[in-house]
Amino acid sequence: MGRRGHAALLSLLLSLVLFSVFVPESIVRAVSIPAKFDGFVYNYTGTGIDSIIIEAFFDPVCPDSRDAWPPLKRAIAYYAPRVSLIVHPFALPYHDNAFATSRALHIVNKLNSSATYHLLEMLFKHQEIFYNKKTINMSRAAIVDCIVKFVSNAVGESLFSAIKSGFSDRQTDLTTRVSFKYGCSRGVLGTPYFFVNGFPLPDPGSAINYSTWRSILDPLVSDSVKRETLHFFL
């Protein structure tokens, strides 16, 4: 390697060092700490310290997120109340309507939190309506109008005006951005993306079937039961 090659290598190494030292701090400064933890707690299962906590990052218009939901929902029902779930909306930038549909989830969660997961399931069921090719010739305003009508049909026509106003509310925009930034801060690169008790599961971006969830959670629940039994007899 010649002198120029050594200089280029040193320059690259210096850039990497500077990036690793300064960029994380700048990211932390740029993201304001939200007043509440991001995400939607499923079925009011709670997130106590003794609970096994699953965090799922879903894009409402992602087919893999859609396919990941039924087996996860089944697993949560099987293990409740020992396993809790929090879903974080994570709008993938290459899905044109991911941010708007994620924002719709935040709007509904603010208006009626008991309807949030019903809306998520309806978005999964009919997500092809909001695929890129389906809306390529629509204006942004027309797409939002379509989402407002869809959401109000899903959660109640009486909320139509409030849902429509929600898309003009700066706070719902910021809250949806916080969800995306939170995912980025956790290293989320695609959806679905899962964490169990804070640790990421392998093969992100792929749905996990029910039997795999059982193989992941069975040992954890078993350990939890053993600890509780030991504590009872001490």
Side-chain angles (χ1 to χ4, degrees):
M1 183 183 292
R3 184 173 297 177
R4 289 187 178 180
H6 283 293
L9 179 59
L10 287 172
S11 177
L12 176 60
L13 290 173
L14 179 60
S15 297
L16 290 173
V17 170
L18 291 173
F19 181 87
S20 64
V21 171
F22 292 109
V23 169
E25 183 179 355
S26 65
I27 290 174
V28 171
R29 289 175 181 171
V31 179
S32 299
I33 298 175
K36 62 182 290 293
F37 192 75
D38 181 73
F40 313 124
V41 178
Y42 177 64
N43 204 25
Y44 303 100
T45 52
T47 53
I49 193 169
D50 294 326
S51 176
I52 297 164
I53 300 175
I54 298 174
E55 292 178 84
F57 288 80
F58 285 157
D59 178 335
V61 291
C62 168
D64 291 317
S65 295
R66 175 199 63 202
D67 295 342
W69 173 238
L72 174 58
K73 180 181 179 181
R74 183 182 172 190
I76 295 296
Y78 180 82
Y79 289 106
R82 295 187 179 277
V83 176
S84 302
L85 172 66
I86 301 173
V87 166
H88 305 276
F90 188 77
L92 295 172
Y94 41 84
H95 291 156
D96 293 345
N97 302 309
F99 188 88
T101 50
S102 294
R103 189 176 183 181
L105 287 169
H106 280 293
I107 292 170
V108 167
N109 192 66
K110 185 177 179 180
L111 295 172
N112 180 10
S113 59
S114 64
T116 306
Y117 275 89
H118 174 66
L119 175 59
L120 178 64
E121 291 183 337
M122 293 300 290
L123 286 168
F124 281 157
K125 184 177 181 180
H126 301 286
Q127 66 179 200
E128 70 279 357
I129 297 173
F130 305 110
Y131 283 172
N132 294 3
K133 288 184 178 180
K134 290 283 188 177
T135 59
I136 192 171
N137 294 318
M138 297 174 65
S139 67
R140 176 55 53 186
I143 292 171
V144 170
D145 284 344
C146 180
I147 292 173
V148 169
K149 291 176 183 177
F150 178 91
V151 173
S152 62
N153 285 335
V155 302
E157 295 288 348
S158 61
L159 295 176
F160 178 86
S161 296
I163 294 166
K164 186 173 182 178
S165 297
F167 278 95
S168 300
D169 182 357
R170 174 66 172 164
Q171 189 58 47
T172 65
D173 176 71
L174 293 175
T175 304
T176 311
R177 296 186 188 202
V178 165
S179 291
F180 179 76
K181 292 177 181 179
Y182 177 68
C184 292
S185 75
R186 298 286 299 276
V188 175
L189 300 174
T191 59
Y193 207 109
F194 301 103
F195 293 81
V196 176
N197 287 345
F199 285 82
L201 296 185
D203 300 322
S206 300
I208 298 177
N209 61 37
Y210 178 69
S211 61
T212 302
W213 276 119
R214 289 291 304 272
S215 69
I216 293 169
L217 296 173
D218 272 346
L220 299 178
V221 172
S222 178
D223 287 347
S224 176
V225 172
K226 289 177 182 177
R227 287 196 304 271
E228 289 179 8
T229 303
L230 181 61
H231 180 73
F232 177 80
F233 285 105
L234 288 178

